[in-house]
Amino acid sequence: MACNSSSKREQLPASGELMSFFKNNVNPLLQNLESTGARKKLDSILPVIKKRDNYVEMCSWLRCMAVVYQIENKLDSARLYVDQSLQLAMEKDTTERQILAGKIQTAAVLNESKSLDSALHYARDAYSLAKRIDTPGLPFICMKLYDIYEKIGDLPMQKRYLFEGFNRSTSPKHKTVFATNISAYYDRVNQVDSALIFFQALMKDSSFSNPYYDAVRYENLGALLSKKGFLQEGLQYQLKGMQISRELDELNATSYFNVAATYRKLGQYKKDERLLDTALSFVAHEKNPALQKKIWQAKAENGALQKKPWQAYAALDSAIAYNQKEVDSSIIAQARELEAKYSLLEKDNQIKSLALSHQVSENTRERQRKAIVRIICSVAIIGMFGVWMWRRKQFKRNIREESLRQQLLRGQIDSHFLYNSVNGLQKLIEEGNKAGATEFVQRLSRLFRLSLENARQPFVPLKNELDALASYLTLQQSLFDNQFEYHIEFDGIDDQEEDILIPPMLLQPFAENAILHGIAGQKEKGQINIRIHMKDKALHCVIDDNGRGFQSVEDPHQKKRPLSTIINKERLEILSRQTNTPAQLKIIDKKATTGEAGVRVELILPYQME
């Protein structure tokens, strides 16, 4: 028996071997999110660790168990284990490395629990400690800090830690993660030029030769070039990056989605459609409702461009369905987070009760009663908070659905103008006016390009919107044989046109009404004056014409005029809710007020700054 016992003791792994066990047998399972297998491995070595009474091994074991519970989304249990690890490290660790690891993981658990203020406190402590004892670990901590600031919404701090982490990284894997997030950051703040400069510089960096890093560089640079209009060049980079990812078996839905967008801009709608279908098959496994919604929106746009309205409407219905799924999953996640917080509070109280069981029983019962009262109060308060959050999500969802519907309606406003343009072009061709027809087509294509680009965004630069309006009015002048003149005036905003953002396609419908319902057919030469100036943190826009004014006789376009007005009133209501700033529309018959001919439209538009 003594021999057998001695043999068993000899089989116990040495301290260094045990740490290798964590690295080689436990960490791969955690990285692959195999929590059950990792727990079995950890349970098997717990007796050995307890027998050794080595704080480094016990801290490592506790942190690994915390990760197991993080994978299973049991954040209350994860918090208990990581707290024990950090407390043990604070008591016994003289090197401070276990303290550093404990603070990093505590920040990660708190971040997932949405306790962002506490997570930021631990992450900053870890950052300061790493600067003192473990600078190679700083990139990892920078990524944790970026993740927390992203959820907080602090853009300057996001940028700071992204670039610090990127510059400090010495491995291609870390470099790749930071480069991808830098691209996402620039896209979020609408600085495509800066992102393009960054990735073009990366292409000249030969210090790394990792294929995965190369694939990310090529795909991001290609997507950015495509956004800037360099479609063929961007496509080549994207395809090259996809080829490398395919060889690494790392292709995902986002890669197919981005390449599909480039093909759509090139007018290759069939390829776009095939790639979007492939992206859908990938995203089904990735369980990403937000990306699924974007893919269905892209399919709706593809159907509209191919003049397949039913296909476009069906895809739009799917996009709205996934938008609902995204909202619902967000609400469920919040409910689970609240439940985890209640459970954590209850377990904390249980632990405190056990630790203080030697004290007077009456004091223990009093603390328990206070804890129960706190829990009941917390449940009541957080329950009301949950109802408020649900109503807020419902309100935002209604705004998003209404915005999608308005995007489709905006495309219907110009149908009469398109019909007249085709007739005007046909007339020029029949007259043999080749130069005039060429110039007309160029102006028309420029207008459609500007309208398409503007319609894709909820807010566009004022300069882009006025360029599209000027192109539209110039074409209408040609169609109506210069029957009218127009002037666009600014007051004190000439140097801010590119910084001021407004919703697209708000001014053009009123200019169209002035032409079709006011000036068309009258003998006197028409005048359309558009004046824009800033006042009280809003843009005041006046569209004034000298047309017929409000007519009592039947107008062949009478059905279209109220439709465009109704649509724009609805869009202004949505804009008011989105910006919390009043937006107004007044349509005034000048003959009834001043005795002059024509109509004056007064718009008060809230705006955003770039």
Side-chain angles (χ1 to χ4, degrees):
M1 293 294 291
C3 182
N4 289 341
S5 298
S6 176
S7 175
K8 286 182 180 179
R9 283 196 297 271
E10 289 173 358
Q11 291 174 4
L12 295 178
S15 179
E17 293 175 352
L18 197 56
M19 299 310 292
S20 297
F21 181 85
F22 282 116
K23 181 178 180 181
N24 299 325
N25 296 79
V26 179
N27 287 353
L29 293 172
L30 296 177
Q31 289 171 359
N32 293 327
L33 307 182
E34 298 177 20
S35 59
T36 303
R39 183 186 281 106
K40 289 180 180 178
K41 295 280 187 184
L42 291 168
D43 288 342
S44 70
I45 61 172
L46 181 58
V48 178
I49 294 175
K50 285 183 175 180
K51 190 169 185 178
R52 289 186 192 283
D53 194 23
N54 182 306
Y55 80 89
V56 174
E57 294 172 356
M58 181 54 77
C59 285
S60 299
W61 187 89
L62 289 168
R63 289 198 303 274
C64 287
M65 283 300 297
V67 175
V68 167
Y69 284 111
Q70 279 182 268
I71 294 170
E72 295 175 349
N73 200 29
K74 297 177 180 177
L75 300 179
D76 54 343
S77 299
R79 177 70 188 278
L80 290 174
Y81 278 97
V82 77
D83 281 352
Q84 291 178 46
S85 172
L86 184 55
Q87 183 177 356
L88 180 60
M90 296 288 287
E91 292 173 358
K92 296 189 175 184
D93 184 23
T94 57
T95 67
E96 296 187 294
R97 294 189 177 275
Q98 296 302 315
I99 296 175
L100 173 61
K103 288 190 174 184
I104 292 172
Q105 191 162 356
T106 302
V109 174
L110 288 167
N111 187 14
E112 289 188 35
S113 303
K114 301 296 187 293
S115 299
L116 300 180
D117 52 347
S118 300
L120 188 58
H121 169 74
Y122 280 99
R124 280 178 166 171
D125 281 354
Y127 177 83
S128 300
L129 189 56
K131 272 192 148 182
R132 207 158 35 86
I133 67 170
D134 185 25
T135 51
L138 275 171
F140 180 74
I141 301 173
C142 285
M143 180 52 68
K144 293 293 182 185
L145 282 163
Y146 159 71
D147 189 37
I148 295 170
Y149 278 116
E150 183 187 24
K151 290 178 181 176
I152 293 173
D154 190 330
L155 292 173
M157 297 304 288
Q158 290 177 43
K159 184 177 181 181
R160 170 189 166 180
Y161 286 109
L162 276 177
F163 278 93
E164 181 176 351
F166 178 83
N167 293 327
R168 288 182 178 273
S169 295
T170 56
S171 77
K173 183 177 181 180
H174 291 161
K175 210 88 167 174
T176 299
V177 173
F178 278 107
T180 302
N181 281 283
I182 287 171
S183 177
Y185 165 81
Y186 277 129
D187 186 60
R188 193 179 305 121
V189 298
N190 198 25
Q191 294 180 3
V192 179
D193 288 331
S194 298
L196 194 56
I197 292 170
F198 173 76
F199 275 93
Q200 285 172 337
L202 283 191
M203 298 307 298
K204 300 174 184 178
D205 182 4
S206 58
S207 59
F208 291 100
S209 59
N210 181 277
Y212 184 72
Y213 182 51
D214 293 338
V216 169
R217 288 193 298 179
Y218 286 131
E219 286 194 37
N220 277 279
L221 180 58
L224 291 168
L225 287 168
S226 176
K227 285 183 180 180
K228 291 296 292 181
F230 304 108
L231 301 179
Q232 291 294 348
E233 185 181 357
L235 180 62
Q236 295 307 311
Y237 279 113
Q238 286 178 296
L239 294 176
K240 191 172 182 179
M242 284 187 71
Q243 180 60 34
I244 298 173
S245 296
R246 186 177 290 108
E247 293 169 358
L248 297 171
D249 196 24
E250 292 286 348
L251 276 175
N252 54 44
T254 301
S255 298
Y256 284 103
F257 176 75
N258 289 335
V259 176
T262 302
Y263 276 120
R264 186 161 61 256
K265 292 176 184 177
L266 287 167
Q268 300 185 34
Y269 304 128
K270 295 297 181 184
K271 288 185 178 180
D272 170 33
E273 189 173 0
R274 286 197 299 271
L275 288 168
L276 289 174
D277 289 338
T278 305
L280 279 176
S281 66
F282 272 83
V283 81
H285 301 291
E286 297 173 11
K287 296 181 181 179
N288 186 343
L291 183 56
Q292 283 177 302
K293 179 185 70 175
K294 289 182 180 179
I295 295 171
W296 280 112
Q297 286 175 331
K299 285 180 70 67
E301 184 180 344
N302 180 286
L305 292 170
Q306 293 192 73
K307 299 182 180 179
K308 297 178 180 179
W310 294 113
Q311 180 176 320
Y313 278 113
L316 191 60
D317 287 341
S318 297
I320 293 173
Y322 278 105
N323 180 70
Q324 177 65 48
K325 187 174 181 180
E326 182 184 3
V327 171
D328 292 343
S329 65
S330 175
I331 293 172
I332 291 170
Q334 288 177 1
R336 287 176 178 169
E337 288 162 9
L338 293 174
E339 182 181 354
K341 289 180 180 179
Y342 305 149
S343 301
L344 179 60
L345 180 58
E346 186 177 359
K347 288 194 177 185
D348 283 343
N349 288 324
Q350 290 173 358
I351 292 170
K352 289 177 182 178
S353 297
L354 289 172
L356 300 175
S357 60
H358 62 281
Q359 294 183 359
V360 182
S361 59
E362 183 60 33
N363 292 336
T364 302
R365 286 195 294 271
E366 182 65 22
R367 284 194 296 272
Q368 289 175 340
R369 284 195 294 270
K370 289 181 179 179
I372 291 171
V373 171
R374 286 198 298 271
I375 292 173
I376 292 173
C377 293
S378 299
V379 169
I381 293 171
I382 299 177
M384 290 187 289
F385 175 74
V387 171
W388 177 79
M389 286 296 295
W390 178 83
R391 293 184 65 182
R392 185 168 176 264
K393 289 288 183 183
Q394 192 81 359
F395 176 70
K396 287 186 175 181
R397 187 198 67 182
N398 291 338
I399 289 179
R400 283 196 292 268
E401 289 179 355
E402 187 65 18
S403 296
L404 287 172
R405 186 169 70 86
Q406 295 295 345
Q407 284 181 348
L408 289 180
L409 289 173
R410 285 206 300 269
Q412 296 175 3
I413 295 176
D414 292 326
S415 58
H416 184 76
F417 169 67
L418 179 61
Y419 176 76
N420 283 347
S421 297
V422 172
N423 286 343
L425 181 60
Q426 183 179 2
K427 180 180 177 182
L428 290 171
I429 294 172
E430 289 174 352
E431 293 174 352
N433 188 351
K434 183 177 180 181
T438 301
E439 183 181 357
F440 189 91
V441 169
Q442 289 174 345
R443 288 178 177 175
L444 187 62
S445 64
R446 172 175 171 76
L447 174 61
F448 284 171
R449 179 178 62 79
L450 287 169
S451 298
L452 181 61
E453 289 176 354
N454 291 352
R456 287 175 177 168
Q457 303 295 332
F459 287 87
V460 298
L462 176 62
K463 182 180 185 304
N464 292 6
E465 184 66 7
L466 293 180
D467 285 348
L469 178 60
S471 297
Y472 170 79
L473 290 170
T474 302
L475 283 169
Q476 287 285 34
Q477 276 184 321
S478 299
L479 293 174
F480 283 88
D481 296 327
N482 292 314
Q483 190 178 344
F484 69 89
E485 294 180 351
Y486 74 89
H487 300 281
I488 300 178
E489 301 176 6
F490 309 100
D491 184 6
I493 58 174
D494 291 340
D495 57 343
Q496 302 181 62
E497 285 183 78
E498 296 186 358
D499 297 329
I500 297 174
L501 303 180
I502 66 169
M505 287 290 291
L506 269 175
L507 302 178
Q508 183 175 318
F510 297 107
E512 180 183 16
N513 282 341
I515 297 168
L516 298 181
H517 307 292
I519 294 171
Q522 73 174 10
K523 295 180 181 180
E524 181 184 354
K525 188 157 188 174
Q527 293 286 339
I528 298 177
N529 295 312
I530 301 171
R531 299 186 299 278
I532 302 173
H533 66 281
M534 279 190 192
K535 184 180 179 182
D536 298 330
K537 297 182 180 179
L539 287 181
H540 287 237
C541 308
V542 178
I543 302 171
D544 198 311
D545 68 72
N546 63 343
R548 296 189 300 271
F550 294 150
Q551 299 293 309
S552 59
V553 297
E554 186 65 25
D555 189 331
H557 302 297
Q558 201 68 7
K559 291 182 180 180
K560 183 179 177 183
R561 185 172 188 177
L563 175 61
S564 64
T565 303
I566 290 170
I567 290 172
N568 278 307
K569 281 184 177 179
E570 290 180 3
R571 293 181 66 204
L572 288 171
E573 290 174 2
I574 293 172
L575 182 61
S576 293
R577 294 199 296 267
Q578 288 175 331
T579 60
N580 293 321
T581 304
Q584 296 181 14
L585 168 64
K586 290 183 182 179
I587 302 177
I588 302 167
D589 186 357
K590 295 196 297 184
K591 188 171 184 180
T593 56
T594 64
E596 300 176 354
V599 172
R600 180 169 63 254
V601 177
E602 296 179 357
L603 279 167
I604 298 179
L605 297 179
Y607 63 87
Q608 298 180 355
M609 295 302 292
E610 180 73 35

